[in-house]
Amino acid sequence: MESGRSAVRPSPGTGNDQEDARGLVLRFLDGDVRADPYPLLNRIREAGPVWLGDGVVVLSSHAHCEAALHAAEDAPASAAGCPVSAARLRSAVDRAFPADAVTGLAPLVRSLVDDRLDSVATRGRLEAVSDLAHPVPMAVLSHLLGLPAGDAQWLHRRASALAPALDLGPAPTGAETSGDTAARRAETELAAYLAEAVADRRRRTGGDDLLSRLIRADEHGERLNDAEAVSAGLLLLASGYETTSALVSGGILALLRAPHEIDTLRRDPAHARHLVEETLRLDPPLQVVRRRAGTDLDLPGTRVPRGTVTVLLLAAAHRDPAVAASPDVFAPGGASPHLAFGAGPHHCPGAPLARLIARTVLVRFAQRALAPRFALGSPSYRPTAALRGLRALWVDADGFAPRDLPWQPPAA
């Protein structure tokens, strides 16, 4: 990747502090701090809003990021170049996939997790990314969308190719980056695949999968057209798959770093809720997002005019001392808020499902993996800045408890 430092023109009249802060931002985006970006992100937040020129501002405090998310304009989503309203898609997914539908998926998710742990039980070692974090979310999403289970690997490769498109790289303004060509190809292939699936649902009405529900979901008397239904499927695969996978592997990493939490989770599976939320706060899969201000924003320290590109460093906002008593400490059960799933009207419609998958994996990992511990050196990370995800995380164990181990431990 080219350095891209010339792609951002500094605003005139700024002092040395802003120049230094811009350098920190570009260092973060350039990708040389993937193992531990948080000291650098803390320094950026302490510098306050950073103007990159050309109508681009970097926001990193919790208050600033939350305000910008609430005020963001409704950027269009697309299905292979056909723009549709992202707000309309979120609304349709919310209606077609309510909370009780997520709850109904719990037995399937549990079975899939146990299947994956059974597959590694004989070798006494698992690779958390390829053995759990990738296959479980993809199997759940495939089931949810009514897609053939045998297509999971094909879908995984295309969905993974979309991940670099989330990255800002050297172009925080939204200009094309080096990963966009492969992402566009993957999006085109996924859109064609989903278009065939949507056409099939149109031919045979009455299905209960999410695609069938989406094309039946009315909004003010209007149903989603085929392009919108395809875009909704892409939205789940592009924004839901990789982030859920990263949350699962990040949660396992957090448990390995705090083994006392494994004992707590074995005794009380409900503790998984706190573990997942703290992982989302302290080590979020989506570290930075780009939005455009839909209204003028008067923020402490700066004014953001309507139309400004706002680069929101969510991972820095989550460690803001203004909202977290011990911002750099992993402390499940605390009251520190996070913005990992967005805010206000721009929430992530797949958040309940991501939480269900992550909680289920963490509970069963803690219950069935005996004396789990790091293997084969340090965890390795993806090169992207926006999506923080592990490439691999090898875990040794003394063995794996049998599948018939109860999910809820008997009362002491």
Side-chain angles (χ1 to χ4, degrees):
M1 179 181 296
E2 295 178 358
S3 170
R5 296 183 185 276
S6 62
V8 178
R9 296 196 298 273
S11 297
T14 55
N16 291 334
D17 289 346
Q18 277 283 298
E19 293 288 350
D20 292 344
R22 276 194 290 271
L24 296 176
V25 170
L26 292 172
R27 182 183 169 198
F28 169 72
L29 296 178
D30 278 350
D32 64 346
V33 289
R34 291 297 170 262
D36 183 11
Y38 299 109
L40 181 61
L41 287 168
N42 286 341
R43 291 173 62 192
I44 296 171
R45 187 188 59 251
E46 290 164 3
V50 181
W51 286 91
L52 298 180
D54 296 328
V56 183
V57 63
V58 178
L59 303 176
S60 50
S61 76
H62 191 278
H64 285 180
C65 288
E66 185 174 32
L69 286 170
H70 278 280
E73 68 178 22
D74 179 29
S78 69
C82 178
V84 296
S85 167
R88 179 167 157 80
L89 294 186
R90 283 192 298 271
S91 176
V93 172
D94 284 341
R95 293 193 314 279
F97 190 46
D100 60 345
V102 177
T103 303
L105 287 172
L108 170 70
V109 179
R110 290 179 177 184
S111 178
L112 289 168
V113 173
D114 269 335
D115 287 347
R116 297 306 307 170
L117 290 173
D118 286 347
S119 71
V120 302
T122 57
R123 73 177 189 231
R125 169 178 287 182
L126 69 84
E127 199 285 286
V129 177
S130 59
D131 288 331
L132 287 171
H134 280 162
V136 173
M138 182 54 76
V140 175
L141 285 171
S142 295
H143 173 86
L144 181 64
L145 293 167
L147 306 176
D151 293 348
Q153 277 300 316
W154 187 91
L155 290 167
H156 160 71
R157 289 192 294 271
R158 271 75 188 170
S160 294
L162 293 177
L166 297 172
D167 217 32
L168 307 187
T173 59
E176 185 169 294
T177 64
S178 59
D180 285 348
T181 301
R184 282 199 309 272
R185 185 185 309 116
E187 181 185 351
T188 300
E189 292 175 351
L190 278 171
Y193 175 91
L194 290 170
E196 290 185 11
V198 168
D200 176 68
R201 304 311 189 276
R202 296 283 189 192
R203 289 191 296 268
R204 52 179 184 87
T205 59
D208 196 44
D209 60 87
L210 183 55
L211 284 180
S212 296
R213 292 184 186 184
L214 284 169
I215 61 178
R216 294 197 304 266
D218 287 342
E219 181 180 25
H220 308 303
E222 297 181 5
R223 295 184 178 183
L224 295 184
N225 60 36
D226 287 2
E228 290 172 324
V230 168
S231 287
L234 277 173
L235 178 67
L236 288 170
L237 288 171
S239 64
Y241 170 57
E242 286 290 342
T243 51
T244 303
S245 296
L247 174 58
V248 168
S249 59
I252 293 174
L253 176 63
L255 285 179
L256 294 175
R257 287 174 168 168
H260 61 281
E261 296 290 352
I262 297 177
D263 295 331
T264 302
L265 193 52
R266 285 173 179 155
R267 293 191 302 270
D268 179 17
H271 186 58
R273 177 173 65 88
H274 301 302
L275 291 168
V276 168
E277 297 309 306
E278 184 67 348
T279 300
L280 287 165
R281 182 193 74 82
L282 198 68
D283 198 22
L286 198 58
Q287 302 254 300
V288 51
V289 298
R290 180 177 52 230
R291 297 289 185 265
R292 191 177 293 275
T295 62
D296 292 341
L297 284 172
D298 288 312
L299 303 175
T302 194
R303 184 175 185 274
V304 178
R306 178 181 178 180
T308 301
V309 174
T310 58
V311 178
L312 311 180
L313 301 185
L314 302 183
H318 291 179
R319 296 185 181 221
D320 189 339
V323 295
S326 301
D328 297 312
V329 177
F330 185 72
S336 301
H338 66 74
L339 302 167
F341 292 123
H346 302 282
H347 72 281
C348 172
L353 182 61
R355 286 182 164 114
L356 171 66
I357 293 172
R359 292 172 187 173
T360 305
V361 171
L362 294 188
V363 168
R364 211 49 171 168
F365 172 81
Q367 290 177 335
R368 292 191 59 188
L370 307 178
R373 54 197 178 274
F374 288 109
L376 301 178
S378 301
S380 60
Y381 287 90
R382 300 166 176 269
T384 51
L387 182 64
R388 178 172 172 79
L390 288 162
R391 283 175 167 169
L393 175 62
W394 285 95
V395 182
D396 276 338
D398 289 346
F400 290 85
R403 185 190 188 104
D404 59 6
L405 186 75
W407 281 83
Q408 183 64 46

